[in-house]
Amino acid sequence: SQKIEQNSEALNIQEGKTATLTCNYTNYSPAYLQWYRQDPGRGPVFLLLIRENEKEKRKERLKVTFDTTLKQSLFHITASQPADSATYLCALRNYGQNFVFGPGTRLSVLP
Amino acid sequence: DSGVTQTPKHLITATGQRVTLRCSPRSGDLSVYWYQQSLDQGLQFLIQYYNGEERAKGNILERFSAQQFPDLHSELNLSSLELGDSALYFCASSAQENTEAFFGQGTRLTVV
């Protein structure tokens, strides 16, 4: 069956460190993968999109990698700040199919 | 502000009732998606429309239905409501199917 997993339900890190979140998928062949941020009670906000033929994408302190062989994406936040505390969701779509989200990782950046 | 508008923001209704949630996508976006998020649960994909046509369906209950109108706004109809239908319902839109989605602020439905 198709499955999207994110490494841990919650991740605590110290301010200034790099947070690394993992998204693994099974039985998907995604055309692209996206990362979103969701704050409690709010709608998800788009952060980055990476296509199947791209290895890495960067935006300011954010970096995402995509390994279609390992069926895995890594999402990094460098120089993390307490304001980065939120739930981070990966999302993907097979060609012509549903746009589905992983369960999310709740990141807490401690001052 | 994502540009996606959902109304109402909050809705309280009784079991067995029917409600309609409304979504106005960002100007020019052709795709509309509906998701359900229960307390401490992930986003569950319900249904997608593209330019008025149903494009993909997730685990949407038969009691639920949706449509996208010629002006591209969409409505999600929930009928014979049960306590378990209490959740946040999000609408999202995207310009094309392979671009990022922009989410509304959601409608919080409480069934009592």
Side-chain angles (χ1 to χ4, degrees):
Chain A
S1 63
Q2 293 178 319
K3 197 190 298 187
I4 306 174
E5 294 175 307
Q6 294 191 237
N7 58 323
S8 55
E9 197 175 306
L11 181 65
N12 296 330
I13 64 164
Q14 213 59 43
E15 182 176 5
K17 301 291 187 188
T18 295
T20 298
L21 284 63
T22 305
C23 176
N24 294 292
Y25 56 91
T26 308
N27 292 328
Y28 282 100
S29 297
Y32 58 88
L33 190 144
Q34 303 183 23
W35 284 88
Y36 289 77
R37 168 186 173 137
Q38 186 175 25
D39 292 286
R42 310 293 295 261
V45 175
F46 171 77
L47 297 174
L48 280 169
L49 179 154
I50 186 164
R51 301 187 190 283
E52 60 177 338
N53 60 349
E54 297 175 319
K55 294 290 185 193
E56 183 179 298
K57 265 284 187 60
R58 290 176 185 261
K59 180 182 173 183
E60 297 169 357
R61 294 185 295 111
L62 309 179
K63 183 178 88 170
V64 62
T65 62
F66 193 12
D67 188 326
T68 55
T69 303
L70 292 179
K71 297 187 184 299
Q72 181 181 79
S73 175
L74 298 179
F75 178 77
H76 306 272
I77 306 175
T78 58
S80 59
Q81 305 165 0
D84 295 326
S85 298
T87 296
Y88 290 85
L89 306 162
C90 67
L92 54 84
R93 189 213 303 271
N94 274 2
Y95 286 99
Q97 291 189 18
N98 303 346
F99 181 29
V100 292
F101 283 79
T105 295
R106 191 169 61 250
L107 174 68
S108 296
V109 180
L110 308 172
Chain B
D1 180 11
S2 67
V4 177
T5 304
Q6 288 188 248
T7 55
K9 285 190 170 52
H10 302 276
L11 196 48
I12 302 175
T13 191
T15 53
Q17 295 299 303
R18 172 190 167 96
V19 297
T20 297
L21 312 184
R22 182 187 168 103
C23 171
S24 294
R26 286 191 327 154
S27 177
D29 282 359
L30 298 177
S31 266
V32 169
Y33 311 81
W34 286 97
Y35 291 86
Q36 179 193 57
Q37 189 171 41
S38 303
L39 194 63
D40 293 331
Q41 297 286 312
L43 282 162
Q44 300 298 314
F45 173 77
L46 295 178
I47 198 163
Q48 179 206 351
Y49 283 84
Y50 180 81
N51 203 21
E53 303 273 333
E54 183 184 301
R55 196 67 145 194
K57 217 166 183 174
N59 295 324
I60 186 167
L61 299 171
E62 284 191 14
R63 300 184 285 108
F64 296 1
S65 65
Q67 54 184 323
Q68 185 179 29
F69 294 87
D71 67 353
L72 300 178
H73 92 271
S74 179
E75 291 181 356
L76 179 67
N77 300 296
L78 315 175
S79 61
S80 302
L81 284 167
E82 301 174 359
L83 296 177
D85 297 327
S86 297
L88 263 172
Y89 291 84
F90 287 106
C91 165
S93 73
S94 65
Q96 299 292 333
E97 292 182 290
N98 60 347
T99 56
E100 65 269 33
F102 294 85
F103 280 77
Q105 289 306 301
T107 292
R108 183 174 293 281
L109 173 67
T110 303
V111 183
V112 297

